[in-house]
Each structure stands twice: as structure tokens, then as C-alpha cells.
Amino acid sequence: MTDFTMSTDADGVATIVWDTVGKSMNVMNQQGFLDLDALVDQALADDAIKGVIITSGKEGSFAGGMDLNIIAKMKESAGDDPARGLFEGVMSMHAVLRKIERAGMDPKTNKGGKPIACALPGTALGIGLEIPLACHRIFAADNPKAKIGLPEILVGIFPGAGGTTRLSRKLGAMGASPLLLEGKLNDPKKAKAAGVVDEVVPADELLSAAKAWVLSEPSIVKPWDEKGYKMPGGAPYHPAGFMTFVGASAMVNGKTQGVYPAAKALLSAVYEGAMVPFDTAIKIEARWFTNVLMNPSSSAMIRSLFINKEALEKGANRPDAPDQRVKKVGVIGAGMMGAGISLVSALAGIEVVLIDSTQEAADKGKSYTTAHLDKGIARKKVTAEKKDAVLGLINATTDYAALKGCDLIVEAVFEDVGVKADVTAKVQAVTGPDCIFATNTSTLPITELAKASNDAEKFIGIHFFSPVDKMLLVEIIKGKQTGDVAVAKALDFVRQIKKTPIVVNDERFFYANRCIIPYINEGIRMVKEGVAPALIENAAKLVGMPLGPLQLVDETSVDLGVKIAKATRAAMGDAYPDDEVDEVLFWMFDQERLGRKSNAGFYSYDEKGKRGGLWDGLAAQYPVADEQPDLTTVQHRLLFAQTLEAVRALEEGVLEDIREGDVGAILGWGFAPWSGGPFSWLDIIGAPYAAERCDQLTAEFGARFKTPALLREMADKGQDFYKRFSNESKAA
Ligand code: NAD
């Protein structure tokens, strides 16, 4: 069985059907390219064939993209000269696509050749759009669910099979920029409006429309193969083109802070490629693509954001237990979190009972879903029927009896042991023995809360992040007695609501909050030391953190910080290490600068709540020192504060799998995505350097930077995390 097959009809139109064996959506691999190449050769050589249609055998989709595992393997297996191996591999993909594009035309006169149309039944991503772009006309079925685009940039690479060069020549640098630089996906109609596809036709006319075009003796020479081709919007030395490229450079640097190699390389490929003939431009694209693939950041991003994220979503760490998909969920507490949890559950088709202590509060929680759906209707993404169906799944009530028949409870009431215990008992008086009880607590130990349950084996933490509908990560926390079925239930639920799970053990702040708190604290500590707040914030952003630590405090609120500090101090007693942080935090609290919610925090805000610059009043209390640290020192303090906590979480067994540590860090709190996560970052800089740097930071700034024993051992042995804790097996 091969992924590509060809048949020719009585009118001489050959149809090449792509149908990846054993997958629900087509993905391209090395063999696939060879098969496609052979069929194109055959079609071009056969005089009986007048033209070709390339389409998919999958209903509703053309292709999901390249199998990125293969790119990773290509690099590993390229031997002593991986860059050359990669470049040659990429050029061989170009050769196939260029053959399609030239379709047997005379290289000098552009005469001859056979029309090749691409017919997209639906979704066409990555190489799934790069192949169509090499064809002479792209037909897309009018399938509003389809997504068409080049999302490579989102996993740290860029479209490297000609998509970058072809799209920028087809649309101009300006038109192509959201598609290439942001990975923007469009439905077929929008893709046509943007100029990406040429025709949108009813699904049942897709092949006939493509065939009619093939038989119409169309002109098939691509504009860039014609004499005198000019790039739409102008090439770099055209006045308009000059403006575009200058703007694009600034935009890319503004958005990526220069830490994402792929965005810069992409822009270079477009810029340099725009000034030379197409075949040279393709080589330039291939060289930049190789450059990106050789960058450790790209492999780390592919590994965390594509390969491992997907593995975790598919249940890489799911215990062996029967299907635990949720049919009816009870959400207790209809506040900010409960409202969001109800929304994502109902959107996944799960029946929801949403309980609060008053009917008004329960209704308010449900109205969050109404508002979400109304927004969808306004944007034409949701129909009135869908709205009714989703709202019909949510029963907002104060009556615990409605929980009868629930197979999962997610409790999201106030963060108070007594309130939670009371609710647990009330729920379990109604639910059956098989019902799994999950708490959404962010700070209380699961094992303690489980004491209120009549069955600690069926008690678990399912920790969502706020806002629930936007945040992709869910942290599942096992209490000391949590059983496998509860873990499987939580994982199956997370899969239903299409989020990414990590499974961790029960220690203070679990994993994500445990790592983000030291980051915030390090930022505040530097304020106390007299480091310029602007340096702290910009250092964080320049190393790829989405928010500086001070802005993060403003977003999550100073009073929450004070509350957590007080609780932590109470729990740790004399061992509490953060007095200096608290001094600043408590002072801000006393000034009633609580952050965004009070329109005043480390930043200033206008009356409408728009954030302005850093608050200048801070300097009166914490003057900026005359001598400032260098940028790298500030960045290392901020990154190591998080990373060492992740290593300690691994050492202590809170984390059982470094893949979860990396994916969870990026999706949970935005840990510098270019690095692939804290463990990938340590692998990039190497354990010996990391340990040496920790020693220096410890000497200069204190014991919180002490090299963890695991890292020291790995430094001594010259190991890295991904080799030591292999992808397949769980971490020790
Ligand atoms: P919230 O104050 O917005 O909502 C709590 C809701 O619980 C309120 O509507 C309240 O009326 C209801 N409630 C209180 N006692 C009740 C009872 N006995 N029976 C029924 N309903 C009751 O709080 P929130 O921000 O949604 O947080 C809820 C839980 O989620 C807390 O445990 C919190 O730590 C956790 N959490 C919060 C966040 C966050 O960012 N806000 C993130 C992760 C986890």
C-alpha cells in the first residue's frame, strides 16, 4: 500500500489521490514524496494524459502537514554533516514540487506542459498547502470548517518546501506576512479573499470543477516564471517594497524580541529571495530552512510543542484503565473558574450540572457560556441552533440532587478547606460510588482535601488555569491515595475538552505555580535591590517571557501575592525565604496598588484600565541604584529561578516526566517557548555550564540558586535531560 495512487479517466485526466495509510488525515513523509514524484513522472510522460488533479482520499481534509518526527529524525540521521544532509533533503522536496510547477514545460519558451490542479476537500496545512501552491490552480471545497494555511512558525520552523517563496511571490510580502509570520489559518472563503486559493466551489463539484479547468487548455506558466515578473507590492529595492520590508523587520523584532530564529530566517529568505530568480530563491529558502533546523531552539520547539504535546494529549501517561470519557459532570461553584469549566465541558458535548449557593450565582455562571456563544454568533462562528444545544446541556441550580448520575465532579468553590470539605460531603451524599471527585484548588494539598471524601482513591486535583477557555494546559494532581481510574478519568476529560494535560504529584503549589512564583519573586526582589524596573521587565521579555514579572503581579493581583505569601510563611515557619520580596509586596498592598484590578500597581493605568508605563512612584520607596547589573545576569536570575524549581520538582518526584515539565511550562505560564521549556533550555546551555552558572549566582545572590544534586551529577557526567530521561520511559 502506498499513500499516493493514480487513475486516469476516459477524458485523459489523471487523478492522484493522497490517502495516508492508517491516519485520519494525510501527513507527508519521505516515502510519500518518492511516491508522489514517481506518479508525477508517470503522468507527465504518458501522452494519453492531458492533465492532472491532485486531491485527497480523506473526507473533509487534504493534509495536516509534514510528519515533523521525520524532520527531527532527518537531522539526527544526517551523520557528521547534518547541515548538508538537511539541505539536500530539503532540495529534493523542492525538486518534486518544482517538477509539478513546471509540468514538463520547455525551460526557455515556457511552451508545453500539462495543467495540474489541486483539489482540496478541506483542511490543508503546511506541506498540505505547499503542494497546492506548486500546482497551477487551487480549488477548495466550500467547507467552512476547513483550515488553510502555513502554521510552521508556531512550532519554531517556517514553511520550507517552497511555501515561503511561492506565497510571498503570489501575494507580495505584505499580503503573505500574516500567513507566514503569524501562521494565520483561514477557512476556504477567506483563503480565496486573501488570494491563497483560486476557487471555492461546492464540495460535490470539487473534482468536476478541477477537471473542467484542466481540460480548458489553461495557461499554466506561473507569474514568476514569466519574463518581467514583478513581486506584488514591490521587491526590496522598490520604494513600496522597501517600506514593507523595513516595517516587517521591525514588526518581527517587536513581536519576537529577536529570540525566535525561525521568524528572522523566514524574513531573510523572503527578502533575499525577492531579489533573485525563482530557482535561486528556492535555494536561499532551503539554506535558511536548514539554518533553522540546525538551531537547537527549533528542535526543542518541535519536540515540546508538536511531538510531546501531542503525545501527552493522546494519553502518553494514562494508566491502563477502561474508557473513562465523561458523560455528566457536576461543577460546584459557578464563579470565575466554575463558569469557564462549564463552558468548555458543554462545548465538548458533556452534560453539565452547575451548582452555586444561590440560584442567582449559578445563573451568572451559566451566563458566561451564553456570552461566549453570543460572541461566536456575532462572528458567524456559531449558529443559533448550536447555542441552544450547548446551553441546553447546562443545568444551573442550587439543588445537589441534580448531581445524581454524574460520573465526574469538578469542585471550584472558595479556596477554603472547610468550605471544600462541606461541599465534598454534600456532593457525595448524592453521587454514586463510581463518581470521581476532582478539586480545582490552586494551593491546598489534594491529600488533605481528600480526607473529607468517602473514597480518597477517587479523589484527584484537576487544576485549570484562568481564563479556562483560553488556557491550553490542565494540571492533574495525584493525591497520595489517588487511584488509576481517577487519573484516567481526569485525562479522558481533558482530552474531551481538547486541552493538554500533565500529571503531577501532590506537593506545595504542584508544578506550574511552584515554578512561576519564584520568577515573580525574583523580579520583586530585584526592585528591592535597586535594579531598574524597566531593566527587569525588558530582560524578561528579551529572553522570551510573555510578561515581565512585575506585569505578571499586576495581572494576577498584589493581594493574591500577599495571601499566598502569608499562607506559605505560616506553613514554612523559620525556613521561609522571601522576606525581602514580602517587604515590597506588602508595601504595594498598603499603598492600595493591587495591580490591574485597582488600576494601579507596578504599572500605571488610565481610567479605562489601559496599562501605561511603569509606575514612577516606585523609585521614591525603592530608589534605582547607580550601578545596574548587565542584561544577561538579570535574565539568568529570572530563568534559573523557574528552571531550578522545575529540576527540584523532578528530583522530588512531583514531576514524573520531563516532557510534562517542558510542555507544562510553555502552555501553563509561557516559559520562553523558543527554548522548548526549562529542561530543554538546560540541555541547550548544557548541564556543566548551568551548574557553573548556578554556583556563581549562589555566591552572588543566595542559596535559592544552589545547584540541585541532580543537575550537579549530570554536569559531572556530561549528561543532558532528554538523553538521560528518554522520551519513551518516564523520568526516574
Ligand atoms: P470565585 O470566587 O470566582 O468563585 C467561587 C464560587 O464558589 C462563587 O460563585 C461562590 O458563590 C461559590 N461557592 C462558595 N461556597 C460555595 C458552596 N458552599 N457551595 C456552592 N458554591 C459555593 O473563585 P474562583 O476564582 O472561580 O476559584 C475557585 C477555585 O478555583 C478556588 O479553589 C481557586 O483556588 C481555584 N483556582 C482559581 C484560579 C483563578 O485564577 N481564579 C485558577 C486556578 C484555580
Side-chain angles (χ1 to χ4, degrees), residues 335-337 356 400 412-415 420 440 442 463-464 466:
M336 189 163 90
M337 299 305 286
D356 209 297
Y400 278 71
V413 298
F414 297 141
E415 190 75 336
K420 287 193 190 286
N440 181 46
S442 17
H463 182 213
F464 285 87
S466 174

Side-chain angles (χ1 to χ4, degrees), residues 517-665:
I517 291 171
Y519 168 71
I520 290 175
N521 285 353
E522 201 59 31
I524 298 178
R525 208 184 290 271
M526 286 193 252
V527 170
K528 168 89 172 43
E529 290 170 17
V531 179
L535 174 56
I536 302 168
E537 295 292 90
N538 286 329
K541 289 199 195 136
L542 285 168
V543 82
M545 294 300 294
L547 301 183
L550 305 179
Q551 190 186 343
L552 193 53
V553 183
D554 273 12
E555 296 296 333
T556 50
S557 89
V558 167
D559 48 324
L560 178 68
V562 167
K563 208 169 140 196
I564 291 175
K566 283 185 177 160
T568 313
R569 178 193 290 277
M572 292 183 75
D574 288 346
Y576 184 72
D578 292 323
D579 286 328
E580 290 181 339
V581 176
D582 290 358
E583 188 194 310
V584 181
L585 202 61
F586 287 39
W587 181 77
M588 290 290 286
F589 183 79
D590 291 342
Q591 305 302 305
E592 295 178 9
R593 296 194 71 90
L594 303 184
R596 177 179 286 286
K597 71 180 190 190
S598 67
N599 259 5
F602 286 101
Y603 283 80
S604 302
Y605 299 80
D606 68 16
E607 317 78 63
K608 288 189 188 139
K610 190 166 182 293
R611 188 166 48 83
L614 281 150
W615 176 45
D616 45 18
L618 197 59
Q621 182 74 7
Y622 298 104
V624 173
D626 291 340
E627 211 168 303
Q628 291 292 308
D630 64 66
L631 180 68
T632 311
T633 302
V634 178
Q635 290 178 324
H636 278 177
R637 286 179 69 174
L638 293 172
L639 280 188
F640 275 110
Q642 305 166 69
T643 304
L644 293 182
E645 210 49 54
V647 175
R648 287 182 205 117
L650 180 68
E651 273 184 325
E652 291 168 21
V654 173
L655 270 181
E656 294 182 356
D657 183 336
I658 55 169
R659 295 177 298 177
E660 294 180 312
D662 273 353
V663 174

Side-chain angles (χ1 to χ4, degrees), residues 17 24 56 245 256 274 348 397 405 417 615 646 703 723:
V17 176
S24 59
S56 148
F245 279 97
T256 66
T397 178
V417 178
W615 176 45
K723 288 216 181 85

